[in-house]
Amino acid sequence: MAAPPKKSLFTQIREGQVWNSIFRHGPPDNTRNRSLAVLTNVFLHLHPVKVRKSGLRLKYTWCAGGTTFFLFLVETITGLLLMFYYRPTSEYAFSDILDLRSQVPLGIMREIHRWGAHAMVIAVWLHMLRVFMTGSYKPPREFNWNIGVLLLVLTLLLSFTGYLLPWDQLAMWAVTVGSNMARATPFLGNEGPGAALLRVGDISLVHAGDDARFALLAGRFVGSGALLRFYVLHCVGIPLVAAVLMAVHFWRVRKDGGISGPL
Amino acid sequence: MPDEIKAGAAPPPTPAAPAAPAASAAPGVTRRGFLTWIGVAWASFSGAMGVASLSTLRYFFPNVLFEPPQTFKAGFPEEYIAGQVDNRFKESFGVFMVRDEKTLYALKAVCTHLGCTPNWLEAEFKFKCPCHGSGFYMSGINFEGPAPRPLERYRIVTAEDGQILVDKTKIYREEKGEWQDPESFIAT
């Protein structure tokens, strides 16, 4: 009785339980398995099975949306790395930023994060310009345009909240000026329309000590409370909401027939 | 409802009386009673969620602030020299104390353009904002640069001990004619 032929290590792995628990289809040597390779992979399943030729034309798409997403990933990774050194307190924030530049190996990390942020705002703007100029906001894509507008606002808010974190004079005054806009929020800001109506007798319900700007800054001025709030919003709050909206955005692109083609 | 059932149709079923519940229901539980309890359950759940949401919103408004108080005593009127702007409370409270020939008033040290802190330039006898160059006279009236309206005044009264009390919770705007208000200045 002859022994069965010895299998190679590669074959043993391919037939083993570990491999087959992760990749639940045979080798991609036929159309069905090749489709399954895409459909059963969490990273590839958002990608459509078929891509239209126009969707790949750089002259048409500018790849601005893809660039934006790529920059979001760059910002996520470099931002995460910056969190290892940066402390969001009025005592340390400014010196930590200086140390990131001069005392930390690969001191360009902070600059990548900063320039990436500038580039992302430009990329979002170019993406929206392209979508607008090609009429891709029209039905059935009008819902996705609205998601995109929300993502534009979130991108700007990410830039704005990140602006305070170096804790220098530029940051302080820029956010002092910027957060003054919250004073004028209708009904929620103490100088906004409607705030004067919210009175009980002689007591004003919306004043400088309890309005929208106060909640944003944790006080009446830009101080250590504002620094911590902006840090949390910058690192966790806004990116989380943006990631959820991006998932909807990409899913909707696919459901609406992929990237829109020339009219 | 039995009233809505058309005549001539199959004999209407007897209305579910509390005494005779449906066979499937547990004894003692009527359909109406069950739905009432569902309503009560939903109302309490919604109420609890509402209270939780409002509490979470309230969480963002701290009870204690590590900021200068909103009212402060600014010494006696005699301490201020006529025709001069006093900077002593600019750093700590954001207030310029100004005394002209007849009155003493507290100007809010916040530019009406975008909210920076202007400086008093003694030599040029004007307030000047460092950011975009808004200029204000000693009275607080704007005369150059982008600031759209005069500096604001804080409420200023004489306390029982004769000291000046500056109250930052109330502001007076010139363009609304509020500088006529007796609490927007102290006659000296």
Side-chain angles (χ1 to χ4, degrees):
Chain A
M1 202 171 163
K6 199 160 179 167
K7 287 175 182 171
S8 70
L9 183 64
F10 181 69
T11 316
Q12 280 185 41
I13 291 173
R14 279 301 286 265
E15 290 176 357
Q17 195 183 348
V18 174
W19 182 277
N20 282 296
S21 70
I22 301 169
F23 303 102
R24 300 177 176 205
H25 51 81
D29 51 8
N30 58 58
T31 323
R32 184 173 178 274
N33 280 353
R34 274 197 289 273
S35 298
L36 283 172
V38 171
L39 285 171
T40 60
N41 186 307
V42 68
F43 300 108
L44 297 178
H45 84 282
L46 270 174
H47 199 265
V49 180
K50 284 182 193 165
V51 178
R52 276 199 230 148
K53 212 173 171 183
S54 64
L56 296 174
R57 262 177 55 206
L58 201 58
K59 243 177 91 180
Y60 179 74
T61 66
W62 300 353
C63 199
T67 308
T68 307
F69 181 54
F70 168 74
L71 287 166
F72 180 77
L73 295 181
V74 168
E75 293 300 283
T76 307
I77 293 163
T78 56
L80 202 67
L81 292 170
L82 293 179
M83 287 170 86
F84 281 91
Y85 284 102
Y86 176 80
R87 289 166 287 182
T89 61
S90 49
E91 192 180 0
Y92 295 120
F94 180 62
S95 59
D96 282 354
I97 291 286
L98 293 184
D99 285 356
L100 270 166
R101 189 172 63 192
S102 55
Q103 308 301 328
V104 175
L106 204 66
I108 201 173
M109 198 59 74
R110 191 230 152 185
E111 306 304 325
I112 297 174
H113 193 73
R114 188 185 145 208
W115 285 98
H118 294 320
M120 191 171 152
V121 172
I122 295 168
V124 168
W125 192 86
L126 287 175
H127 177 55
M128 297 195 88
L129 179 71
R130 193 284 292 178
V131 168
F132 182 76
M133 297 304 267
T134 57
S136 304
Y137 58 86
K138 291 176 184 172
R141 297 186 170 81
E142 74 270 53
F143 176 67
N144 222 10
W145 172 263
N146 285 284
I147 300 282
V149 171
L150 290 177
L151 283 167
L152 167 75
V153 173
L154 290 178
T155 306
L156 298 177
L157 285 177
L158 279 168
S159 271
F160 180 64
T161 50
Y163 204 1
L164 183 63
L165 304 186
W167 204 237
D168 53 7
Q169 284 289 315
L170 187 69
M172 277 282 297
W173 290 108
V175 171
T176 298
V177 167
S179 62
N180 277 340
M181 280 189 277
R183 278 191 220 266
T185 316
F187 293 102
L188 299 178
N190 73 87
E191 291 174 11
L197 303 171
L198 298 172
R199 302 180 71 89
V200 176
D202 206 23
I203 303 157
S204 179
L205 291 180
V206 176
H207 52 81
D210 72 349
D211 67 343
R213 182 175 187 269
F214 184 88
L216 189 67
L217 300 182
R220 294 184 184 88
F221 314 103
V222 178
S224 46
L227 179 60
L228 189 58
R229 280 193 186 193
F230 271 52
Y231 180 73
V232 174
L233 286 173
H234 183 75
C235 299
V236 187
I238 303 173
L240 210 61
V241 180
V244 170
L245 287 183
M246 267 186 266
V248 177
H249 197 66
F250 300 158
W251 176 77
R252 200 66 248 172
V253 167
R254 184 169 166 189
K255 290 289 164 188
D256 292 338
I259 295 163
S260 79
L263 293 170
Chain B
M1 291 294 139
D3 301 351
E4 286 164 21
I5 294 169
K6 285 202 178 96
T14 354
S24 60
V29 179
T30 59
R31 176 188 163 83
R32 186 176 295 268
F34 176 71
L35 287 177
T36 306
W37 278 111
I38 291 282
V40 169
W42 268 109
S44 3
F45 178 71
S46 311
M49 284 299 115
V51 171
S53 308
L54 286 175
S55 311
T56 311
L57 185 68
R58 179 64 181 81
Y59 170 79
F60 288 101
F61 295 86
N63 289 327
V64 179
L65 287 182
F66 301 95
E67 286 177 1
Q70 287 294 95
T71 55
F72 64 95
K73 296 263 178 80
F76 295 93
E78 301 83 59
E79 293 173 30
Y80 296 94
I81 303 157
Q84 276 198 11
V85 171
D86 198 306
N87 274 321
R88 75 175 88 164
F89 296 110
K90 182 192 170 190
E91 196 73 24
S92 47
F93 290 99
V95 173
F96 293 114
M97 300 296 291
V98 187
R99 187 177 163 182
D100 58 20
E101 279 68 36
K102 286 176 192 159
T103 58
L104 178 67
Y105 45 90
L107 282 180
K108 177 178 173 181
V110 173
C111 176
T112 51
H113 176 222
L114 287 174
C116 298
T117 308
N119 297 308
W120 172 249
L121 304 183
E122 186 67 55
E124 296 173 50
F125 219 69
K126 67 180 181 187
F127 293 102
K128 194 77 179 161
C129 182
C131 298
H132 305 102
S134 294
F136 306 88
Y137 295 123
M138 195 177 85
S139 59
I141 303 281
N142 55 314
F143 69 95
E144 63 178 353
R149 51 195 181 81
L151 294 177
E152 292 161 7
R153 285 186 189 181
Y154 283 128
R155 180 168 170 260
I156 185 169
V157 288
T158 314
E160 284 124 24
D161 58 358
Q163 285 203 65
I164 300 162
L165 185 76
V166 178
D167 175 8
K168 291 173 66 180
T169 59
K170 182 117 180 66
I171 55 170
Y172 297 87
R173 295 180 176 180
E174 193 272 341
E175 73 274 15
K176 290 186 176 177
E178 291 169 346
W179 284 7
Q180 312 303 320
D181 193 292
E183 294 197 333
S184 71
F185 61 89
I186 289 179
T188 52

